[in-house]
Amino acid sequence: FLQDTERRSRQHAGKRIALSIRLDKLDLFVFEGGSLLFANAYAITHDSNARTLAEETLFYLVTVWKSLHLDPENDHVAICIRRSADGSSPDRDDLQQTIEPFFRHLELSEDCQ
């Protein structure tokens, strides 16, 4: 997933955000021209409420987006939804409905390596 995002950042103008999300953790990376500009991990503090998880994800995404002055018209966001050890995962539809209105170029995947 990260290698693909890094490779795609070399092929297209603009920046690419790679977001790997589990029920308890969020890893966020920003690439530009094949270089890593930003990386951080965040503990998810939700209370098993899917809506809260999507909103918390949006909060971190918008915070990084604003601090790095990313361009909503040209920059891309790729989200990898990962399963926990017990097989549970964040709700894809809820994430998409919450995040999509804010980002023009959004890709969600549940089958990412």
Side-chain angles (χ1 to χ4, degrees):
F1 174 69
L2 286 177
Q3 288 175 340
D4 182 55
T5 303
E6 181 269 334
R7 179 185 52 78
R8 292 170 111 188
S9 78
R10 283 186 267 123
Q11 297 172 345
H12 303 287
K15 296 175 183 76
R16 293 190 75 83
I17 293 178
L19 183 68
S20 176
I21 183 170
R22 293 180 201 88
L23 290 174
D24 62 342
K25 184 180 171 191
L26 178 71
D27 298 311
L28 197 147
F29 305 87
V30 179
F31 294 91
E32 181 177 33
S35 296
L36 181 64
L37 299 178
F38 177 88
N40 206 351
Y42 304 95
I44 299 295
T45 61
H46 70 91
D47 56 2
S48 300
N49 177 331
R51 182 47 118 185
T52 304
L53 173 66
E55 290 170 352
E56 192 167 349
T57 301
L58 179 62
F59 169 78
Y60 288 122
L61 197 51
V62 168
T63 300
V64 169
W65 192 273
K66 286 182 176 183
S67 69
L68 295 177
H69 307 288
L70 301 175
D71 180 358
E73 294 299 316
N74 296 311
D75 297 333
H76 294 255
V77 177
I79 299 176
C80 174
I81 301 169
R82 300 197 181 269
R83 294 199 177 279
S84 298
D86 66 0
S88 60
S89 68
D91 184 271
R92 178 192 173 111
D93 292 335
D94 191 49
L95 280 167
Q96 187 162 2
Q97 288 175 357
T98 303
I99 296 170
E100 196 169 48
F102 298 91
F103 302 97
R104 182 176 179 165
H105 304 285
L106 177 65
E107 304 164 24
L108 280 99
S109 175
E110 295 176 48
D111 184 29
C112 39
Q113 299 298 324

